[in-house]
Amino acid sequence: MGRADILTDGYGRRIDYLRISITDRCNLRCGYCMPEDIPLVPAEEILTFEEIEAVCTAAAELGIRKFKITGGEPLVRRGCPKLIGRLNKIPGVKQVTLTTNGILLGKYLDELVFHGLRSVNVSLDTLKPEVYREITGSDGLSLVLENIGRAVDAGLQVKINSVLQKKVNDGEWEALLGLAKDQKIDVRFIEMMPIGYGKKCEAVKGSGLQAKLREKYPLMERETQARGNGPAVYYRIPGFSGSVGFISAVHGQFCDSCNRIRMTAKGELKPCLSYGDSVDIRAAGVTADRIKEAIKEAVRRKPGGHCFAHRDGITEDRQMVQIGG
Ligand code: SAM
Ligand code: SF4
């Protein structure tokens, strides 16, 4: 690898995006992610904010331009908005975004905006309080909806991530899509991945859902302009302020354009979501040169594609809450 294309993997893909889990703790108990208490990473093993900043600085020097803060629930870790501010100041960084379940979004909204957050993904699978309780174990639906409205009013770009499951919330796509009708919110439907507890859930295929939408909205048109950090395919529906996106995580053929690596809360760099393989950033010592070597190694180890269609090949045995999604 020459210096200019140092973060190009063995398949010619340019890697410029790092998803960073800052905690494996969560204030919800979503059935497909963390339905029950599971062993937590001891607090002393979780990367400090200084270590995360050091990783991001090294990553930016290697050409990584975009960071996503995830978890667990990132907003349960004290200081998350400040961390976003620090990462935003790293030379070369174009964008730092956040994925949250929305429960604490209102509480930290002003701070997040102050620290330069411009875009947030809120995970929301239902608009029915009883189904929300069934999926997440919480009565927080109205709070999440209120916080989404406040985030839009504060000028943030808001994307809703919805995972549909058969016999749980598969009938709710139309209601969820309604959030994109009058507000500039994108609603994205993500296929359930057979990771951890997700293996037990009945996924709704993106292609089938798209067919239903097309029937209801025949004038729906695919957006031609590329946008976002990843695999979502977006469509415009006449009369809607926001767009609808499909992230066909299992059946979509998007690995050819994969641009990312992931880092767990204790500093394991993951080349691909479906495999357990990782490079431990701490093992080598968290100095700039060693971090860069670890990042390059993770990029080198990226496989050509995931193996979700053939479950036997999946070697990732952690839960999504331990990885970051
Ligand atoms: N707590 C935050 C949240 O819920 O947005 C961030 C972490 S969560 C692990 C990130 C995303 O992963 C959420 O949108 C969640 O719905 C999704 N997710 C969790 N398990 C999944 C699975 N098995 N398949 C697909 N998406 C999953
Ligand atoms: Fe927590 Fe997000 Fe997982 Fe739900 S999806 S349990 S909110 S980490």
Side-chain angles (χ1 to χ4, degrees), residues 120-272:
V120 65
N121 293 359
V122 182
S123 303
L124 181 65
D125 299 340
T126 174
L127 295 182
K128 295 181 181 165
E130 68 281 9
V131 180
Y132 188 84
R133 163 156 274 287
E134 185 188 336
I135 294 174
T136 67
S138 147
D139 288 323
L141 176 62
S142 57
L143 178 62
V144 173
L145 290 172
E146 182 192 323
N147 290 343
I148 289 171
R150 286 183 56 195
V152 172
D153 291 345
L156 290 186
Q157 180 189 13
V158 177
K159 294 177 190 163
I160 305 294
N161 286 343
S162 298
V163 179
L164 297 181
Q165 298 175 65
K166 285 185 190 158
K167 295 183 229 130
V168 177
N169 60 344
D170 52 345
E172 284 203 62
W173 59 269
E174 211 175 330
L176 287 161
L177 193 54
L179 295 171
K181 181 88 176 59
D182 300 320
Q183 307 174 87
K184 213 174 165 350
I185 291 177
D186 294 334
V187 175
R188 305 162 356 137
F189 295 104
I190 304 180
E191 274 182 352
M192 175 78 71
M193 287 175 264
I195 292 276
Y197 295 104
K199 284 185 182 156
K200 296 187 194 147
C201 303
E202 266 200 89
V204 171
K205 238 179 160 176
S207 54
L209 185 62
Q210 252 186 63
K212 281 188 188 160
L213 260 90
R214 205 172 278 292
E215 210 174 292
K216 170 93 189 170
Y217 305 106
L219 297 179
M220 165 172 121
E221 257 184 39
R222 185 161 172 172
E223 286 185 11
T224 44
Q225 217 179 338
R227 64 169 168 131
N229 291 323
V233 177
Y234 286 97
Y235 290 81
R236 301 279 319 154
I237 300 175
F240 278 65
S241 303
S243 298
V244 56
F246 297 92
I247 303 183
S248 299
V250 177
H251 299 95
Q253 302 297 318
F254 54 60
C255 293
D256 282 355
S257 57
C258 185
N259 62 346
R260 64 197 55 199
I261 52 175
R262 296 174 160 81
M263 185 167 72
T264 67
K266 59 177 183 176
E268 300 146 308
L269 288 173
K270 273 183 65 61
C272 173

Side-chain angles (χ1 to χ4, degrees), residues 14-20 63-69 93-99 117-121 157 159 161 186 188 225-234 246-247 254-262 302:
R14 177 86 173 87
I15 308 304
D16 66 355
Y17 177 51
L18 172 63
R19 292 179 67 95
I20 304 159
I64 291 195
R65 298 282 166 256
K66 293 168 275 185
F67 299 119
K68 169 81 75 195
I69 304 300
V93 171
K94 281 199 183 137
Q95 195 187 44
V96 184
T97 56
L98 173 75
T99 291
L117 188 78
R118 299 287 172 261
S119 173
V120 65
N121 293 359
Q157 180 189 13
K159 294 177 190 163
N161 286 343
D186 294 334
R188 305 162 356 137
Q225 217 179 338
R227 64 169 168 131
N229 291 323
V233 177
Y234 286 97
F246 297 92
I247 303 183
F254 54 60
C255 293
D256 282 355
S257 57
C258 185
N259 62 346
R260 64 197 55 199
I261 52 175
R262 296 174 160 81
K302 273 185 75 63

Side-chain angles (χ1 to χ4, degrees), residues 61-103:
E61 284 171 15
L62 290 176
I64 291 195
R65 298 282 166 256
K66 293 168 275 185
F67 299 119
K68 169 81 75 195
I69 304 300
T70 176
E73 171 50 42
L75 290 176
V76 302
R77 182 158 177 192
R78 209 175 318 139
C80 176
K82 263 194 196 137
L83 174 72
I84 290 175
R86 281 157 71 169
L87 302 189
N88 262 323
K89 290 200 179 94
I90 296 174
V93 171
K94 281 199 183 137
Q95 195 187 44
V96 184
T97 56
L98 173 75
T99 291
T100 171
N101 58 35
I103 296 279

Side-chain angles (χ1 to χ4, degrees), residues 23-25 38-47 264-266 268 282 322:
T23 181
D24 62 341
R25 276 71 170 160
I38 54 174
L40 297 173
V41 175
E44 63 276 14
E45 285 180 30
I46 301 236
L47 291 188
T264 67
K266 59 177 183 176
E268 300 146 308
R282 265 196 181 141
Q322 298 168 313

